[in-house]
Amino acid sequence: MAQEYALDWLDQMVHELDPQRIRPENLDNHQAMAIVEKAAKEEKRLIQLFKQFVFQEQKTKQIRNSVNHYLSAAESLMGVAGRNLNQIPVRADNYRVALESVFSCIRKVSAFIAFRYKNLVDPDLSLDMINSDQGAHDLQSLEESYVMKRNPELAKLVIKTFCDIFVDHRGGEITIRKLDNWVSVSQAVTHGAGSLEVIEPLDRLELIMIERNFNSPLFVKYLTSKFSDGLDSFVDPESVAQNLAFWQKTFNQIPVMKDTIFNSQFDDLSFTINAWFIQEIDFQSKKSRVAISEPCEQPQKPGKKYERKTSDKILCNLTVDQLSLFFKAADMSNIISARSLSAIFHTVAPYLSTPHRTDISHSSLRVKSYSVEERDKTLLVEIMTKLTEQIKDL
């Protein structure tokens, strides 16, 4: 096989069935059926050929190189065939049937190679065009499991991340690495008992994702926000520093599966989170030193204490729930940015009021951001739609 290009006929057909080269309407029924029959025979031939592939190559390195060469070539051919299919006129049925049979043949053969020689496939090779059994590891079906129900916020993030990739095909390329990560998470959620002891402040689902080096930027933001929010309950700078150090130690004691990572384009989760801990500890230390060096404020005279009036605030015709949803969405979209979502709530709460609430606390905004109601989502979307129209009219 080293001397033969096994995909030669498929390569030839993909480039010959190009709407820019020949008129699709000119392909008659006899010609189309001949291509369909040939594609079916080619599929059987190639699968049989690749079953014996391992015995025809002498070294593992040669097998690995050949496997990845054919998968890369097949992915490229499917890309060209897919573009050609999108250019076929409506009435060229014979042409469409012929090209679809070639496309199907390439897809089935490449899927066979990818999963037959999975341990030799480049884990970051794009497999977008290859069919995978998504139902076998559907995290949405596990949404009501004990592990998921204990942390609905993270469960929603995890489910959405994997659905974006494998179901909706809008979350980056499908790779063996991401597929293995997906399967591993699904199995861990199914068998929720796990091998790790749950240690505060982390729960079972968080441990599962850390264990599997789930280095998605969304998970990084989730973890750092969780740790930042946890600091709000401590006033004493020494307690803040001690808890940060304890959380960092707890995080670093979680064993990470060897050679496992969600996305190789980003740093390991451990590297990113530890960098955050270092920066946060440094920030808290400087903040503490500044507070100590500042002169004590003079006590105010009785009755002269300044209170923020309603007229000093911005009146928002939204509920507290809708405000929390608005700022959470703005933070996740990087429209506004701060040390954490909690920090945003701390900053804006004193300056806002609603028709029903003169004073809004940052803690109420934070709590509401964890449990979003569908009705509030719908109403806020309608309001944002009106805002969009207003912007267009400016």
Side-chain angles (χ1 to χ4, degrees):
M1 187 178 294
Q3 293 78 30
E4 174 194 359
Y5 177 47
L7 307 181
D8 184 62
W9 181 81
L10 293 170
D11 194 319
Q12 177 185 342
M13 293 310 303
V14 165
H15 290 91
E16 283 188 5
L17 293 173
D18 181 351
Q20 303 299 322
R21 295 183 59 182
I22 63 172
R23 289 181 60 82
E25 297 88 345
N26 291 343
L27 194 73
D28 61 33
N29 186 62
H30 177 75
Q31 292 171 315
M33 288 302 102
I35 293 173
V36 170
E37 291 174 8
K38 174 64 176 176
K41 292 178 181 177
E42 193 69 6
E43 179 185 327
K44 292 179 181 178
R45 183 187 75 85
L46 288 171
I47 288 178
Q48 186 61 37
L49 193 63
F50 281 105
K51 281 181 180 178
Q52 305 300 321
F53 190 35
V54 69
F55 303 110
Q56 298 180 31
E57 296 284 1
Q58 299 301 313
K59 298 180 180 178
T60 302
K61 183 178 179 180
Q62 292 175 331
I63 300 172
R64 178 181 289 108
N65 290 340
S66 295
V67 163
N68 286 288
H69 164 71
Y70 277 113
L71 278 178
S72 181
E75 187 79 10
S76 177
L77 287 176
M78 282 188 284
V80 175
R83 288 192 293 274
N84 289 348
L85 280 168
N86 290 332
Q87 297 174 18
I88 299 175
V90 177
R91 296 181 180 179
D93 292 335
N94 291 331
Y95 191 95
R96 183 178 299 280
V97 168
L99 187 52
E100 283 178 345
S101 69
V102 173
F103 184 91
S104 175
C105 175
I106 303 172
R107 171 175 276 183
K108 289 178 181 177
V109 170
S110 55
F112 175 84
I113 299 171
F115 296 104
R116 174 80 169 216
Y117 301 101
K118 184 179 174 183
N119 61 321
L120 300 176
V121 174
D122 176 358
D124 296 311
L125 181 69
S126 173
L127 301 177
D128 283 348
M129 298 286 187
I130 296 177
N131 281 330
S132 58
D133 184 7
Q134 294 138 7
H137 310 289
D138 182 9
L139 286 173
Q140 285 180 307
S141 65
L142 301 175
E143 197 168 4
E144 295 301 312
S145 68
Y146 173 79
V147 173
M148 291 289 204
K149 288 180 73 174
R150 294 282 292 180
N151 191 337
E153 182 185 3
L154 180 55
K156 185 176 180 180
L157 185 155
V158 172
I159 291 170
K160 183 180 185 306
T161 300
F162 285 108
C163 283
D164 279 351
I165 296 168
F166 296 101
V167 180
D168 300 325
H169 302 286
R170 62 187 182 193
E173 294 181 332
I174 295 175
T175 64
I176 289 291
R177 189 187 301 281
K178 290 178 182 176
L179 181 61
D180 284 345
N181 204 287
W182 185 34
V183 172
S184 179
V185 169
S186 178
Q187 291 173 343
V189 170
T190 303
H191 308 289
S195 58
L196 293 174
E197 180 183 353
V198 177
I199 306 173
E200 291 292 338
L202 300 168
D203 65 23
R204 175 65 58 198
L205 184 57
E206 290 163 347
L207 287 175
I208 288 173
M209 304 316 294
I210 294 169
E211 217 181 5
R212 283 152 186 79
N213 201 358
F214 186 60
N215 63 339
S216 161
L218 291 175
F219 185 53
V220 170
K221 191 166 188 175
Y222 165 88
L223 279 181
T224 53
S225 293
K226 177 188 176 78
F227 293 135
S228 292
D229 291 346
L231 297 177
D232 292 344
S233 57
F234 304 103
V235 179
D236 177 21
E238 186 176 348
S239 298
V240 170
Q242 286 177 350
N243 277 278
L244 276 172
F246 171 73
W247 293 339
Q248 184 178 20
K249 183 176 181 181
T250 302
F251 175 82
N252 286 327
Q253 286 179 332
I254 301 169
V256 178
M257 292 181 173
K258 186 178 179 182
D259 300 325
T260 300
I261 189 170
F262 170 70
N263 193 332
S264 61
Q265 294 181 347
F266 300 117
D267 289 326
D268 282 357
L269 180 66
S270 176
F271 179 89
T272 307
I273 297 299
N274 272 291
W276 179 87
F277 272 121
I278 292 168
Q279 292 294 325
E280 187 66 18
I281 290 171
D282 183 57
F283 169 77
Q284 294 293 341
S285 176
K286 289 178 180 177
K287 182 179 174 183
S288 176
R289 288 199 296 270
V290 169
I292 292 172
S293 64
E294 286 179 349
C296 295
E297 293 183 2
Q298 294 296 322
Q300 293 181 351
K301 294 180 181 180
K304 296 292 184 178
K305 185 177 180 181
Y306 175 76
E307 294 182 1
R308 186 172 295 281
K309 300 176 182 179
T310 305
S311 59
D312 295 328
K313 299 185 179 184
I314 298 172
L315 176 63
C316 297
N317 289 314
L318 298 174
T319 65
V320 174
D321 299 64
Q322 291 161 5
L323 278 170
S324 69
L325 177 58
F326 171 81
F327 284 112
K328 183 173 184 179
D331 177 50
M332 293 180 71
S333 304
N334 290 322
I335 293 173
I336 57 177
S337 184
R339 179 168 58 86
S340 67
L341 181 58
S342 182
I344 293 173
F345 291 149
H346 263 284
T347 303
V348 302
Y351 298 93
L352 300 176
S353 65
T354 74
H356 306 288
R357 295 278 293 273
T358 302
D359 297 309
I360 300 174
S361 69
H362 67 86
S363 59
S364 64
L365 286 170
R366 180 163 60 85
V367 170
K368 295 296 184 182
S369 71
Y370 293 139
S371 54
V372 180
E373 298 289 338
E374 287 300 322
R375 174 175 170 75
D376 288 314
K377 280 189 188 179
T378 303
L379 291 173
L380 189 58
V381 168
E382 290 176 0
I383 291 167
M384 297 307 293
T385 302
K386 291 179 182 178
L387 182 59
T388 302
E389 295 301 320
Q390 186 65 54
I391 291 171
K392 290 179 181 178
D393 291 339
L394 292 177

PDB file of all heavy atoms in Angstrom, residues 249-272:
ATOM      1  N   LYS A 249      -3.763  25.182  47.187  1.00  0.00           N
ATOM      2  CA  LYS A 249      -3.194  23.888  47.570  1.00  0.00           C
ATOM      3  C   LYS A 249      -4.180  22.762  47.259  1.00  0.00           C
ATOM      4  O   LYS A 249      -3.792  21.702  46.739  1.00  0.00           O
ATOM      5  CB  LYS A 249      -2.853  23.899  49.060  1.00  0.00           C
ATOM      6  CG  LYS A 249      -2.180  22.612  49.531  1.00  0.00           C
ATOM      7  CD  LYS A 249      -1.779  22.712  51.004  1.00  0.00           C
ATOM      8  CE  LYS A 249      -1.095  21.425  51.450  1.00  0.00           C
ATOM      9  NZ  LYS A 249      -0.721  21.477  52.883  1.00  0.00           N
ATOM     10  N   THR A 250      -5.460  22.999  47.582  1.00  0.00           N
ATOM     11  CA  THR A 250      -6.493  22.006  47.291  1.00  0.00           C
ATOM     12  C   THR A 250      -6.566  21.712  45.798  1.00  0.00           C
ATOM     13  O   THR A 250      -6.630  20.550  45.375  1.00  0.00           O
ATOM     14  CB  THR A 250      -7.871  22.501  47.773  1.00  0.00           C
ATOM     15  OG1 THR A 250      -7.811  22.762  49.173  1.00  0.00           O
ATOM     16  CG2 THR A 250      -8.951  21.477  47.489  1.00  0.00           C
ATOM     17  N   PHE A 251      -6.542  22.768  44.997  1.00  0.00           N
ATOM     18  CA  PHE A 251      -6.601  22.623  43.536  1.00  0.00           C
ATOM     19  C   PHE A 251      -5.409  21.810  43.024  1.00  0.00           C
ATOM     20  O   PHE A 251      -5.561  20.919  42.182  1.00  0.00           O
ATOM     21  CB  PHE A 251      -6.629  24.007  42.888  1.00  0.00           C
ATOM     22  CG  PHE A 251      -6.577  23.988  41.387  1.00  0.00           C
ATOM     23  CD1 PHE A 251      -7.730  23.770  40.631  1.00  0.00           C
ATOM     24  CD2 PHE A 251      -5.373  24.162  40.713  1.00  0.00           C
ATOM     25  CE1 PHE A 251      -7.680  23.739  39.248  1.00  0.00           C
ATOM     26  CE2 PHE A 251      -5.322  24.132  39.328  1.00  0.00           C
ATOM     27  CZ  PHE A 251      -6.478  23.924  38.597  1.00  0.00           C
ATOM     28  N   ASN A 252      -4.223  22.109  43.529  1.00  0.00           N
ATOM     29  CA  ASN A 252      -3.009  21.441  43.037  1.00  0.00           C
ATOM     30  C   ASN A 252      -2.880  19.999  43.495  1.00  0.00           C
ATOM     31  O   ASN A 252      -2.082  19.243  42.937  1.00  0.00           O
ATOM     32  CB  ASN A 252      -1.771  22.233  43.462  1.00  0.00           C
ATOM     33  CG  ASN A 252      -1.607  23.510  42.663  1.00  0.00           C
ATOM     34  OD1 ASN A 252      -1.952  23.566  41.488  1.00  0.00           O
ATOM     35  ND2 ASN A 252      -1.092  24.557  43.297  1.00  0.00           N
ATOM     36  N   GLN A 253      -3.661  19.605  44.501  1.00  0.00           N
ATOM     37  CA  GLN A 253      -3.612  18.223  44.970  1.00  0.00           C
ATOM     38  C   GLN A 253      -4.527  17.298  44.163  1.00  0.00           C
ATOM     39  O   GLN A 253      -4.472  16.088  44.333  1.00  0.00           O
ATOM     40  CB  GLN A 253      -4.004  18.164  46.453  1.00  0.00           C
ATOM     41  CG  GLN A 253      -2.911  18.678  47.384  1.00  0.00           C
ATOM     42  CD  GLN A 253      -3.321  18.637  48.844  1.00  0.00           C
ATOM     43  OE1 GLN A 253      -4.502  18.727  49.153  1.00  0.00           O
ATOM     44  NE2 GLN A 253      -2.355  18.502  49.736  1.00  0.00           N
ATOM     45  N   ILE A 254      -5.339  17.881  43.282  1.00  0.00           N
ATOM     46  CA  ILE A 254      -6.220  17.053  42.447  1.00  0.00           C
ATOM     47  C   ILE A 254      -5.388  16.425  41.325  1.00  0.00           C
ATOM     48  O   ILE A 254      -4.794  17.142  40.522  1.00  0.00           O
ATOM     49  CB  ILE A 254      -7.350  17.905  41.840  1.00  0.00           C
ATOM     50  CG1 ILE A 254      -8.175  18.554  42.949  1.00  0.00           C
ATOM     51  CG2 ILE A 254      -8.239  17.059  40.933  1.00  0.00           C
ATOM     52  CD1 ILE A 254      -9.143  19.607  42.445  1.00  0.00           C
ATOM     53  N   PRO A 255      -5.310  15.103  41.252  1.00  0.00           N
ATOM     54  CA  PRO A 255      -4.529  14.468  40.179  1.00  0.00           C
ATOM     55  C   PRO A 255      -5.193  14.656  38.822  1.00  0.00           C
ATOM     56  O   PRO A 255      -6.406  14.527  38.701  1.00  0.00           O
ATOM     57  CB  PRO A 255      -4.507  12.993  40.584  1.00  0.00           C
ATOM     58  CG  PRO A 255      -5.723  12.815  41.436  1.00  0.00           C
ATOM     59  CD  PRO A 255      -5.938  14.117  42.142  1.00  0.00           C
ATOM     60  N   VAL A 256      -4.385  14.992  37.832  1.00  0.00           N
ATOM     61  CA  VAL A 256      -4.890  15.194  36.474  1.00  0.00           C
ATOM     62  C   VAL A 256      -4.514  13.987  35.619  1.00  0.00           C
ATOM     63  O   VAL A 256      -3.380  13.500  35.694  1.00  0.00           O
ATOM     64  CB  VAL A 256      -4.297  16.482  35.854  1.00  0.00           C
ATOM     65  CG1 VAL A 256      -4.788  16.669  34.423  1.00  0.00           C
ATOM     66  CG2 VAL A 256      -4.665  17.692  36.704  1.00  0.00           C
ATOM     67  N   MET A 257      -5.450  13.500  34.838  1.00  0.00           N
ATOM     68  CA  MET A 257      -5.195  12.330  33.994  1.00  0.00           C
ATOM     69  C   MET A 257      -4.060  12.602  33.014  1.00  0.00           C
ATOM     70  O   MET A 257      -4.025  13.658  32.368  1.00  0.00           O
ATOM     71  CB  MET A 257      -6.466  11.948  33.231  1.00  0.00           C
ATOM     72  CG  MET A 257      -7.573  11.430  34.125  1.00  0.00           C
ATOM     73  SD  MET A 257      -9.040  10.965  33.171  1.00  0.00           S
ATOM     74  CE  MET A 257     -10.035  10.215  34.448  1.00  0.00           C
ATOM     75  N   LYS A 258      -3.176  11.658  32.890  1.00  0.00           N
ATOM     76  CA  LYS A 258      -2.001  11.819  32.038  1.00  0.00           C
ATOM     77  C   LYS A 258      -2.386  11.981  30.568  1.00  0.00           C
ATOM     78  O   LYS A 258      -3.264  11.287  30.065  1.00  0.00           O
ATOM     79  CB  LYS A 258      -1.090  10.595  32.200  1.00  0.00           C
ATOM     80  CG  LYS A 258       0.246  10.727  31.470  1.00  0.00           C
ATOM     81  CD  LYS A 258       1.103   9.495  31.709  1.00  0.00           C
ATOM     82  CE  LYS A 258       2.436   9.625  30.965  1.00  0.00           C
ATOM     83  NZ  LYS A 258       3.276   8.413  31.139  1.00  0.00           N
ATOM     84  N   ASP A 259      -1.717  12.928  29.893  1.00  0.00           N
ATOM     85  CA  ASP A 259      -1.912  13.183  28.454  1.00  0.00           C
ATOM     86  C   ASP A 259      -3.357  13.531  28.102  1.00  0.00           C
ATOM     87  O   ASP A 259      -3.817  13.267  26.989  1.00  0.00           O
ATOM     88  CB  ASP A 259      -1.463  11.971  27.617  1.00  0.00           C
ATOM     89  CG  ASP A 259       0.008  11.641  27.814  1.00  0.00           C
ATOM     90  OD1 ASP A 259       0.789  12.593  28.000  1.00  0.00           O
ATOM     91  OD2 ASP A 259       0.362  10.463  27.786  1.00  0.00           O
ATOM     92  N   THR A 260      -4.085  14.085  29.058  1.00  0.00           N
ATOM     93  CA  THR A 260      -5.473  14.468  28.806  1.00  0.00           C
ATOM     94  C   THR A 260      -5.591  15.980  28.812  1.00  0.00           C
ATOM     95  O   THR A 260      -5.077  16.642  29.709  1.00  0.00           O
ATOM     96  CB  THR A 260      -6.412  13.888  29.889  1.00  0.00           C
ATOM     97  OG1 THR A 260      -6.304  12.470  29.878  1.00  0.00           O
ATOM     98  CG2 THR A 260      -7.847  14.276  29.632  1.00  0.00           C
ATOM     99  N   ILE A 261      -6.266  16.508  27.790  1.00  0.00           N
ATOM    100  CA  ILE A 261      -6.518  17.940  27.722  1.00  0.00           C
ATOM    101  C   ILE A 261      -7.698  18.153  26.779  1.00  0.00           C
ATOM    102  O   ILE A 261      -7.856  17.418  25.794  1.00  0.00           O
ATOM    103  CB  ILE A 261      -5.266  18.717  27.234  1.00  0.00           C
ATOM    104  CG1 ILE A 261      -5.474  20.240  27.384  1.00  0.00           C
ATOM    105  CG2 ILE A 261      -4.919  18.361  25.801  1.00  0.00           C
ATOM    106  CD1 ILE A 261      -4.197  21.044  27.156  1.00  0.00           C
ATOM    107  N   PHE A 262      -8.532  19.121  27.071  1.00  0.00           N
ATOM    108  CA  PHE A 262      -9.701  19.381  26.235  1.00  0.00           C
ATOM    109  C   PHE A 262      -9.311  20.031  24.907  1.00  0.00           C
ATOM    110  O   PHE A 262      -9.743  19.618  23.842  1.00  0.00           O
ATOM    111  CB  PHE A 262     -10.686  20.262  26.996  1.00  0.00           C
ATOM    112  CG  PHE A 262     -11.812  20.796  26.151  1.00  0.00           C
ATOM    113  CD1 PHE A 262     -12.799  19.961  25.671  1.00  0.00           C
ATOM    114  CD2 PHE A 262     -11.874  22.144  25.815  1.00  0.00           C
ATOM    115  CE1 PHE A 262     -13.838  20.446  24.876  1.00  0.00           C
ATOM    116  CE2 PHE A 262     -12.903  22.638  25.032  1.00  0.00           C
ATOM    117  CZ  PHE A 262     -13.885  21.794  24.568  1.00  0.00           C
ATOM    118  N   ASN A 263      -8.475  21.063  24.970  1.00  0.00           N
ATOM    119  CA  ASN A 263      -8.094  21.800  23.759  1.00  0.00           C
ATOM    120  C   ASN A 263      -6.617  22.148  23.828  1.00  0.00           C
ATOM    121  O   ASN A 263      -6.191  22.926  24.693  1.00  0.00           O
ATOM    122  CB  ASN A 263      -8.933  23.074  23.639  1.00  0.00           C
ATOM    123  CG  ASN A 263      -8.809  23.720  22.259  1.00  0.00           C
ATOM    124  OD1 ASN A 263      -7.804  23.588  21.587  1.00  0.00           O
ATOM    125  ND2 ASN A 263      -9.842  24.435  21.845  1.00  0.00           N
ATOM    126  N   SER A 264      -5.830  21.588  22.919  1.00  0.00           N
ATOM    127  CA  SER A 264      -4.375  21.793  22.940  1.00  0.00           C
ATOM    128  C   SER A 264      -3.970  23.207  22.524  1.00  0.00           C
ATOM    129  O   SER A 264      -2.807  23.580  22.658  1.00  0.00           O
ATOM    130  CB  SER A 264      -3.689  20.781  22.015  1.00  0.00           C
ATOM    131  OG  SER A 264      -4.136  20.948  20.682  1.00  0.00           O
ATOM    132  N   GLN A 265      -4.920  24.011  22.036  1.00  0.00           N
ATOM    133  CA  GLN A 265      -4.607  25.389  21.656  1.00  0.00           C
ATOM    134  C   GLN A 265      -4.465  26.308  22.872  1.00  0.00           C
ATOM    135  O   GLN A 265      -3.927  27.401  22.772  1.00  0.00           O
ATOM    136  CB  GLN A 265      -5.689  25.940  20.723  1.00  0.00           C
ATOM    137  CG  GLN A 265      -5.744  25.245  19.374  1.00  0.00           C
ATOM    138  CD  GLN A 265      -6.819  25.826  18.472  1.00  0.00           C
ATOM    139  OE1 GLN A 265      -7.673  26.569  18.926  1.00  0.00           O
ATOM    140  NE2 GLN A 265      -6.761  25.487  17.202  1.00  0.00           N
ATOM    141  N   PHE A 266      -4.968  25.849  24.029  1.00  0.00           N
ATOM    142  CA  PHE A 266      -4.875  26.646  25.249  1.00  0.00           C
ATOM    143  C   PHE A 266      -3.916  25.989  26.233  1.00  0.00           C
ATOM    144  O   PHE A 266      -3.635  24.788  26.134  1.00  0.00           O
ATOM    145  CB  PHE A 266      -6.257  26.795  25.906  1.00  0.00           C
ATOM    146  CG  PHE A 266      -7.283  27.463  25.034  1.00  0.00           C
ATOM    147  CD1 PHE A 266      -8.417  26.775  24.622  1.00  0.00           C
ATOM    148  CD2 PHE A 266      -7.130  28.772  24.613  1.00  0.00           C
ATOM    149  CE1 PHE A 266      -9.377  27.379  23.818  1.00  0.00           C
ATOM    150  CE2 PHE A 266      -8.073  29.380  23.808  1.00  0.00           C
ATOM    151  CZ  PHE A 266      -9.192  28.690  23.409  1.00  0.00           C
ATOM    152  N   ASP A 267      -3.417  26.779  27.197  1.00  0.00           N
ATOM    153  CA  ASP A 267      -2.548  26.234  28.245  1.00  0.00           C
ATOM    154  C   ASP A 267      -3.316  25.233  29.101  1.00  0.00           C
ATOM    155  O   ASP A 267      -4.550  25.266  29.173  1.00  0.00           O
ATOM    156  CB  ASP A 267      -2.031  27.361  29.144  1.00  0.00           C
ATOM    157  CG  ASP A 267      -1.007  28.243  28.442  1.00  0.00           C
ATOM    158  OD1 ASP A 267      -0.236  27.709  27.620  1.00  0.00           O
ATOM    159  OD2 ASP A 267      -0.983  29.456  28.705  1.00  0.00           O
ATOM    160  N   ASP A 268      -2.563  24.361  29.784  1.00  0.00           N
ATOM    161  CA  ASP A 268      -3.182  23.438  30.739  1.00  0.00           C
ATOM    162  C   ASP A 268      -3.999  24.226  31.751  1.00  0.00           C
ATOM    163  O   ASP A 268      -3.629  25.342  32.142  1.00  0.00           O
ATOM    164  CB  ASP A 268      -2.114  22.636  31.481  1.00  0.00           C
ATOM    165  CG  ASP A 268      -1.558  21.508  30.634  1.00  0.00           C
ATOM    166  OD1 ASP A 268      -2.039  21.329  29.518  1.00  0.00           O
ATOM    167  OD2 ASP A 268      -0.625  20.815  31.100  1.00  0.00           O
ATOM    168  N   LEU A 269      -5.082  23.622  32.211  1.00  0.00           N
ATOM    169  CA  LEU A 269      -5.932  24.265  33.217  1.00  0.00           C
ATOM    170  C   LEU A 269      -5.121  24.604  34.468  1.00  0.00           C
ATOM    171  O   LEU A 269      -5.269  25.693  35.034  1.00  0.00           O
ATOM    172  CB  LEU A 269      -7.090  23.328  33.582  1.00  0.00           C
ATOM    173  CG  LEU A 269      -8.079  23.851  34.621  1.00  0.00           C
ATOM    174  CD1 LEU A 269      -8.853  25.049  34.072  1.00  0.00           C
ATOM    175  CD2 LEU A 269      -9.047  22.745  35.032  1.00  0.00           C
ATOM    176  N   SER A 270      -4.252  23.696  34.881  1.00  0.00           N
ATOM    177  CA  SER A 270      -3.437  23.907  36.076  1.00  0.00           C
ATOM    178  C   SER A 270      -2.568  25.157  35.946  1.00  0.00           C
ATOM    179  O   SER A 270      -2.465  25.959  36.876  1.00  0.00           O
ATOM    180  CB  SER A 270      -2.549  22.684  36.324  1.00  0.00           C
ATOM    181  OG  SER A 270      -1.692  22.909  37.423  1.00  0.00           O
ATOM    182  N   PHE A 271      -1.955  25.333  34.794  1.00  0.00           N
ATOM    183  CA  PHE A 271      -1.086  26.495  34.559  1.00  0.00           C
ATOM    184  C   PHE A 271      -1.889  27.792  34.653  1.00  0.00           C
ATOM    185  O   PHE A 271      -1.479  28.751  35.317  1.00  0.00           O
ATOM    186  CB  PHE A 271      -0.437  26.379  33.172  1.00  0.00           C
ATOM    187  CG  PHE A 271       0.459  27.524  32.818  1.00  0.00           C
ATOM    188  CD1 PHE A 271       1.803  27.504  33.145  1.00  0.00           C
ATOM    189  CD2 PHE A 271      -0.046  28.635  32.151  1.00  0.00           C
ATOM    190  CE1 PHE A 271       2.636  28.576  32.825  1.00  0.00           C
ATOM    191  CE2 PHE A 271       0.771  29.709  31.829  1.00  0.00           C
ATOM    192  CZ  PHE A 271       2.120  29.678  32.166  1.00  0.00           C
ATOM    193  N   THR A 272      -3.047  27.828  34.008  1.00  0.00           N
ATOM    194  CA  THR A 272      -3.864  29.051  33.961  1.00  0.00           C
ATOM    195  C   THR A 272      -4.417  29.410  35.332  1.00  0.00           C
ATOM    196  O   THR A 272      -4.370  30.575  35.747  1.00  0.00           O
ATOM    197  CB  THR A 272      -5.029  28.869  32.967  1.00  0.00           C
ATOM    198  OG1 THR A 272      -4.510  28.447  31.700  1.00  0.00           O
ATOM    199  CG2 THR A 272      -5.790  30.172  32.783  1.00  0.00           C
TER     200      THR A 272
END
